[in-house]
């Protein structure tokens, strides 16, 4: 049969346009709700940016926070101090960088000294000696005679007549100059050392490389005093077996040579001794028997040694018969701790030179006191000028010797000082029985030196 015809287009309901509902007329249909009315009309709303004016203060009297305060009538505008806000201070670091120290030594030049240069610098100006008043210790003839007589009276074999009755040929008072240069130095060197290992912690190379010998801080002792100190170098320790006892802690006994016994001290290894016994009857030397003489005597008898029981040796008391004793090197522990030992030596090196016109031995002049006419102490001293020519020459020589000898990779100079000491000397010449003689009085102690005396009782006597 033929297909049914489709619905006419006019009867189709479009999904986009709905037909009106007859139950509700278009006028009665509910409209959409109107927009919400604000609680406050726009004219009555308070703006948060602009606060309302305060009626207590008129607008002309209100103070603006941005306006500056009015001028003070007590001070004219020219005298008013305007305080402007200061910028914040810059941040200070916890450890501000320090300026490098100056190259000049830390001392102020005093009058009489030249401006010093750096220690060891060439062309450094020498130090000029201070001007002092040179005076002599006056010893009169009577005083010199009394000192000489007291000295002669202390000598047991000297006659006193020349000291009492001599006549002066001359009496001269002079001064000797004693130059002293002292250099306080510190010297360091290392040596291998070992101690018994008792189980303590070991500071070995696994903790880092060892420091240099000058990198280990040490407190310097009192200046110009000698001292030696031993310090263990860090990170150089190690434990090894004792080479003396082969790690056993015992060595052969040196007393018994490891045999455990020594010869008997009573019989000396002979196993027999001669025993002396006091007896009433004995064999007479002539060969007949009879009573003992009235004079008591002893009867000798050879018997076995009761100390060693006839064996000739006894047990060694050092090792108790074992033949082995404790090793002294490792103290019986069997191990040694090897390390590098830093040896620090502080020493006061002294050089001297004496300038004197008399024939006194130099060693005698060094032992007496005098008066300091020049003194200088600093890290590095400079040679003296404007003094005695011999003092100048030896000051230059000794300062250069100390600078080259006590400064190097293993030694350094900590402090130096030099001084010139003036010591009085009195030379007395006299004649006794046609022969000239001389004696000297020197130093503040007024000691006496007699190279040759006129009356000595014992042949060959001499005194210094």
């Amino acid at each position: 049969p033929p297909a049914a015809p489709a619905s006419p287009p006019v009867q189709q309901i479009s999904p986009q346009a709905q037909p009106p509902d007859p139950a509700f007329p278009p006028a009665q249909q509910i409209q959409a709700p109107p927009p919400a009315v604000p609680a406050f009309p726009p004219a009555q709303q308070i703006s948060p940016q602009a606060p309302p004016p305060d009626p207590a203060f008129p607008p002309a009297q209100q103070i603006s926070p941005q306006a500056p305060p009015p001028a003070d009538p007590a001070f004219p505008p020219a005298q008013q101090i305007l305080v402007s806000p200061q910028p914040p201070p810059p941040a200070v670091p916890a450890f501000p960088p320090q300026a490098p120290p100056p190259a000049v030594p830390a001392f102020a030049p005093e009058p009489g000294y030249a401006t010093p240069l750096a220690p060891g610098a060439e062309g450094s100006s020498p130090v000029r000696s201070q001007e002092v008043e040179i005076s002599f210790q006056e010893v009169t003839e009577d005083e010199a005679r009394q000192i000489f007589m007291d000295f002669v009276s202390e000598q047991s074999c000297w006659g006193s007549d020349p000291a009492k009755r001599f006549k002066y040929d001359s009496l001269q008072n002079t001064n000797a100059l004693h130059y002293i240069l002292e250099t306080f130095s510190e010297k360091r060197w290392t040596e291998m050392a070992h101690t018994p290992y008792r189980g303590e912690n070991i500071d070995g190379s696994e903790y880092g490389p060892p420091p240099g010998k000058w990198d280990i801080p040490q407190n310097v002792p009192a200046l110009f005093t000698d001292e030696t100190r031993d310090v263990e170098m860090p990170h150089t320790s190690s434990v090894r077996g004792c080479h003396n006892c082969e790690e056993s802690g015992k060595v052969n006994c040196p007393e018994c040579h490891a045999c455990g016994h020594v010869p008997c001290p009573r019989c000396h290894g002979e196993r027999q001794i001669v025993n002396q016994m006091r007896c009433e009857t004995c064999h007479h030397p002539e060969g007949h028997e009879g009573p003992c003489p009235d004079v008591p005597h002893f009867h000798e008898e050879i018997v076995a040694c009761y100390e060693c029981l006839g064996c000739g040796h006894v047990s060694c008391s050092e090792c108790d018969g074992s033949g082995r004793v404790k090793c002294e090197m490792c103290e019986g522990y069997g191990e040694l701790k090897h390390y590098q030992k830093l040896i620090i030596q502080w020493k006061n090196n002294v050089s001297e030179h004496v300038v004197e016109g008399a024939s006194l031995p130099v060693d005698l002049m060094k032992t007496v006191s005098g008066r300091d006419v020049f003194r200088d102490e600093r890290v590095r001293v400079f040679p003296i000028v404007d003094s005695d020519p011999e003092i100048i020459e030896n000051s230059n020589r000794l300062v250069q010797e100390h600078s080259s000898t006590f400064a190097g990779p293993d030694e350094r100079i900590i402090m130096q000082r030099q001084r010139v000491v003036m010591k009085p000397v009195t030379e007395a010449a006299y004649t006794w029985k046609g022969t000239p003689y001389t004696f000297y009085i020197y130093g503040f102690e007024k000691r006496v030196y007699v190279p040759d005396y006129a009356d000595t009782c014992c042949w060959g006597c001499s005194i210094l």
Side-chain angles (χ1 to χ4, degrees), residues 177-182 349-355 362-363 365-368 391 394 397-398 402 419 421 423:
L177 297 179
H178 184 191
Y179 174 73
I180 306 171
L181 174 63
E182 299 176 78
N349 307 276
V350 183
S351 297
E352 303 172 89
H353 184 78
V354 177
V355 179
V362 175
D363 294 337
M365 293 301 302
K366 294 179 180 180
T367 60
V368 294
I391 292 291
N394 287 275
R397 177 180 60 85
L398 294 178
H402 281 220
R419 57 196 180 106
V421 186
K423 301 180 179 181

Side-chain angles (χ1 to χ4, degrees), residues 23 30 78 94 106 166 172 175 183 201 216 231 247 273 287 290 292 315 332 350 355 359 376 399 417 432 440 461:
I30 301 172
F166 76 88
Q172 184 178 4
N175 285 321
T183 298
N201 295 330
I216 299 178
V231 180
E247 304 183 25
I273 60 174
C292 292
S315 177
V350 183
V355 179
S359 301
D376 178 31
V399 168
R417 68 181 177 188
W432 179 255
Y440 301 90
C461 286

Side-chain angles (χ1 to χ4, degrees), residues 153-214:
S153 63
E154 296 174 358
Q155 315 305 318
S156 58
C157 57
W158 287 17
S160 59
D161 285 347
K164 294 178 181 179
R165 300 166 52 190
F166 76 88
K167 293 184 179 180
Y168 284 104
D169 293 337
S170 64
L171 184 67
Q172 184 178 4
N173 293 302
T174 59
N175 285 321
L177 297 179
H178 184 191
Y179 174 73
I180 306 171
L181 174 63
E182 299 176 78
T183 298
F184 184 59
S185 63
E186 177 182 357
K187 187 177 182 179
R188 295 190 177 193
W189 71 93
T190 58
E191 294 179 357
M192 291 303 300
H194 56 75
T195 57
Y197 177 62
R198 303 176 178 87
E200 65 271 14
N201 295 330
I202 297 299
D203 184 12
S205 58
E206 62 272 11
Y207 294 99
K213 56 187 176 183
W214 292 107

